[in-house]
Amino acid sequence: MSIQGKDYVTITDHSTGQSMDLPILRGTDGVPVIDINQLRKKMNLYTFDPGFVSTAACESKITFIDGEEGRLLFRGYPIEELAEHSSFLEVCYLLLYGELPTEGEYDKFRDLITHHTLLHEGLREFYKGFRRDAHPMAIMVGILGAMSAFYHDSLDISDPNSREVSAHRLIAKIPTIAAWAYRYSKGEPFPYPRNELGYASNFLHMMFSYPTEPYAINSIAAKAMDLLFLLHADHGQNASASTIRLAGSSKANPFACISASVGTLWGPAHGGANEAVIKMLADIGSTKNIAKALERAKDKDDPFRLMGFGHRVYKNYDPRAKLMRNMCQQVLEDLQVDDPLLEVAEALEEAALQDEYFASRRLFPNVDFYSGIVLRALGIPTNMFTVIFTMGRSVGWISQWNEMINAERVRIGRPSQLYTGPAQRAYVPIEQRK
Ligand code: ACO
């Protein structure tokens, strides 16, 4: 940053004639940002940017997205390389600690996560309070928030060790919490985690095993599930990550903050889209109905949108969607699943990409477009899709939260507003109101 050089923009308020030089900050990669921190103090002005379309809300070293090129890096490593060579747990370590682990560090981390998968037995009782037909995401919001009532010893956010224990607990316990949400809705027994299994295999075991018979883990399904978690592990300052930063800035405990992020992710414009995609594809039903669906998606008077399409940041193919599409074809082939929705999805994608409306707005498939078909092939019920997303993303949230707390100066998040309500007026007693 150099005010003497050219790295600044000058802002002038023509109503007062006041001017100010605003520094331009450049990160390692990506679009430069204008530092407006002193704007209010020096010019008595705020900026107005609903939806944060042009606003960088924080500095971060975790994830980089180049939306124009369709690039995604976790701590500098391209998602394609991590998908090919790494595993979800290794990526958890990378996101949390900033570097890939050595063999020794990885073994220690995996051991730690493996030995924190059990839930407090009191928390297990919590499930019984939910209605049987509760959406599993509602249960996730409740149980993750309730962890703050059970793990008091790791709630001191000013203690780095305490924050680390909370992060480990979250990553370790979330498969148990998620699988039990599903088993509760089915009225089935809650299987305990098994330490000899890997992260994804253990989740599949808790989802699908019965105490009455042995359950064989399908290695193709376990590998696919691990990759699904990995692809969802973080994604910069999206709505749910911004939620955890905002909630955390009030110094709330980590589990309360995570619960807020889960609620945000649930929305169909965010993580809830994977569930909505499957519903949409099933409603379209056949390739012959695609043209009609596209017409509806383009009609501004119709609330219907092409779910799994479009992204705030990507104006190119979402790299995760590319990997997801390849995985989808591979998993269906390996598991010998013939899902008619894949044909509809591929034809819909092709038609949308050739359509002027989608092309001119640079709308491409996002990560959610194909993930639902993979999950269906693995036997995961539709209402668990966003739960799977939650499981993968929880490490991203806790890494973003930790980074925020570690920052030099943590101030409570407090956006301002452009007030357009009534000007000050006097109270009118009720008998005088018309
Ligand atoms: N179908 C039809 N039109 C769309 C779609 C879509 N899926 N997405 C965007 N558009 C249109 C908008 O109507 C708008 O058109 P206009 O310029 O004529 O008004 C234009 O494309 C730009 O879209 P915005 O809504 O301004 O984009 P924004 O960045 O605010 O929203 C979002 C991004 C929410 C992802 C949007 O594309 C969408 O609703 N997609 C469908 C839901 C979805 O798949 N969400 C998952 C996102 S990825 C994730 O969270 C994991």
Side-chain angles (χ1 to χ4, degrees), residues 279-350:
K279 192 178 170 314
M280 175 190 75
L281 293 175
D283 286 347
I284 294 174
S286 146
T287 51
K288 63 179 190 295
N289 298 326
I290 284 175
K292 210 168 114 205
L294 287 185
E295 283 318 306
R296 282 194 63 197
K298 294 188 280 185
D299 181 357
K300 297 291 177 199
D301 296 325
D302 189 327
F304 176 77
R305 279 193 157 197
L306 214 54
M307 299 313 287
F309 250 79
H311 198 277
R312 169 59 62 78
V313 184
Y314 292 119
K315 301 302 165 203
N316 204 325
Y317 215 109
D318 179 340
R320 301 165 304 168
K322 235 180 242 171
L323 292 161
M324 199 66 85
R325 186 185 161 145
N326 293 345
M327 169 167 39
C328 186
Q329 288 160 344
Q330 193 63 53
V331 165
L332 264 62
E333 192 185 317
D334 290 351
L335 295 177
Q336 298 181 341
V337 172
D338 180 19
D339 189 340
L341 294 192
L342 179 59
E343 193 198 352
V344 179
E346 287 179 332
L348 181 60
E349 177 193 337
E350 202 186 321

Side-chain angles (χ1 to χ4, degrees), residues 53 232 235 238 265 267-274 277 296-298 300 304-313 315 318 320 357-358 361 363 366-369 389 393:
V53 177
H232 285 102
H235 209 232
N238 51 72
L265 187 77
H270 195 4
N274 53 14
V277 168
R296 282 194 63 197
K298 294 188 280 185
K300 297 291 177 199
F304 176 77
R305 279 193 157 197
L306 214 54
M307 299 313 287
F309 250 79
H311 198 277
R312 169 59 62 78
V313 184
K315 301 302 165 203
D318 179 340
R320 301 165 304 168
Y357 173 96
F358 291 90
R361 287 169 179 76
L363 301 170
N366 60 50
V367 67
D368 288 323
F369 195 67
F389 193 153
R393 185 55 58 82

Side-chain angles (χ1 to χ4, degrees), residues 11 22 34 36 39-40 45-50 54-55 416-418:
I11 180 172
L22 298 169
I34 302 169
I36 58 160
L39 196 61
R40 164 87 172 95
L45 286 173
Y46 287 126
T47 54
F48 183 60
D49 183 23
S54 300
T55 296
S416 194
Q417 62 179 8
L418 172 66

